[in-house]
Amino acid sequence: MIRNIITLLFLIFALNSFGQKESHTKVLLLMGSRFDITAVSPDQGKALNAIEAGISEIKRIEKLISSWDPNSQTSEIIRNAGIKPVAVDQELFNLIRRSIKISNLTQGAFDISYASLDKIWHFDGEMTELPDSTTVAASVSKINYKNIILDPEKRTVFLKDKGMKIGFGAIGKGYAANKALDIMSKMGLTGALVNASGDLISWGKDEGGKDWKIGIVNPKEKDKIFSWLNINETAVVTSGNYEKFVTINGQTYSHIIDPRTGYPVRGLCSVSIICPNAELADALATSVFVLGKDKGLELINQINGIECLLITDKQELFTSENLHLDYIKKPITNHKYQIKIGDKHAQ
Ligand code: ADP
Ligand code: MG
């Protein structure tokens, strides 16, 4: 059972109840995911305004990048695959350009054109048998980020092959979290945190006036903190194979696809990336998932300022070279609030 192989879940909480700066959180469904949006300020009006501004920003981005909304620019690009280039907003153009950069960095492990497979794999529990290998192979032939042709002058995007698709499932939530937090941080708060179902980024201080703190907790011993991460203006983004998956003939298939084979990747259970930028962290968490433990850690170890913590499906924990966890195994006692990250199915 997948639930039993999850070793860790993440909790964030403020231990300090002194120095009352009020913290306000709104929880809602955006981009098909749960978002927890927190603003800290002694002025409740300011906090609530900032939360609303963050929400509007996420909704705006969703409209631009959604591939299931037929009116989005992304859908327009997909409709014109193999036909003609489509002029898009600079913002979408830049997001696609950054996505291609990450494909280059990861040698194609991350590829937004994975999406030609999205009609083949369904991770909502409806699938009962594996797709046939010919269908998978036909779709894999359409995956290739090198066939996403950008023209910076005309600001157009052209998917070279008919049937090609793009999707921002592995980078969009991180991008939206970055942008929402950026807006909130300019609204006179003392702190803010956006948590998009386990993709989180913080700014400023928590309600106790301290750095935001993430406690990493073993779900089997939920009252024990396994280690601490201080996250001062940092993103922590987790990709897990426990949120969306199907089980066919006793085998679990996760929603992260190896673009080279067209099949869901195996070997890892959860990957967390820690770095200042939630979009990059989001994309790299998915990339490390595809690359696997050795190649994934090798990549992260080469990049300054980006750290990684991963758990294999044998429940072993590995970290990048410079991530020093502070093992204190201390019971959680007087925490004021908790936000569980990435543990929808981890009980
Ligand atoms: P989550 O945060 O939901 O655990 P990820 O950030 O890892 O997940 O994104 C997974 C999603 O990204 C999938 O549901 C799919 O939409 C998309 N995706 C799957 N495989 C790839 C890939 N190799 N490259 C880019 N996007 C992918
Ligand atoms: Mg991701």
Side-chain angles (χ1 to χ4, degrees), residues 73 88-98 152 155:
Q73 293 190 358
V88 297
D89 286 1
Q90 190 69 52
E91 183 177 3
L92 182 60
F93 187 88
N94 291 349
L95 179 66
I96 295 172
R97 185 155 53 186
R98 292 195 300 276
R155 227 201 284 136

Side-chain angles (χ1 to χ4, degrees), residues 160-228:
K160 230 167 143 184
D161 285 348
K162 227 177 160 65
M164 255 183 104
K165 285 185 181 173
I166 51 172
F168 299 101
I171 190 168
K173 271 189 289 164
Y175 175 57
N178 271 352
K179 294 282 283 182
L181 194 81
D182 191 39
I183 285 184
M184 292 173 75
S185 70
K186 292 175 183 135
M187 294 185 73
L189 308 173
T190 56
L193 186 138
V194 177
N195 177 6
S197 300
D199 296 0
L200 74 84
I201 181 159
S202 69
W203 170 84
K205 305 287 179 192
D206 71 8
E207 64 184 326
K210 300 238 169 84
D211 283 351
W212 296 92
K213 230 176 200 190
I214 285 199
I216 302 174
V217 178
N218 182 336
K220 289 193 184 124
E221 293 181 286
K222 281 193 181 157
D223 58 341
K224 299 257 174 65
I225 297 174
F226 173 79
S227 75
W228 290 101

Side-chain angles (χ1 to χ4, degrees), residues 109-112 114 167 169-170 173 199 238-240 243-244 255-259 282 286 290:
F110 178 90
D111 191 333
I112 54 172
Y114 87 91
K173 271 189 289 164
D199 296 0
T238 302
S239 277
E243 291 213 338
K244 294 182 199 139
H255 65 137
I256 300 176
I257 309 270
D258 187 332
D282 194 1
T286 310
V290 176

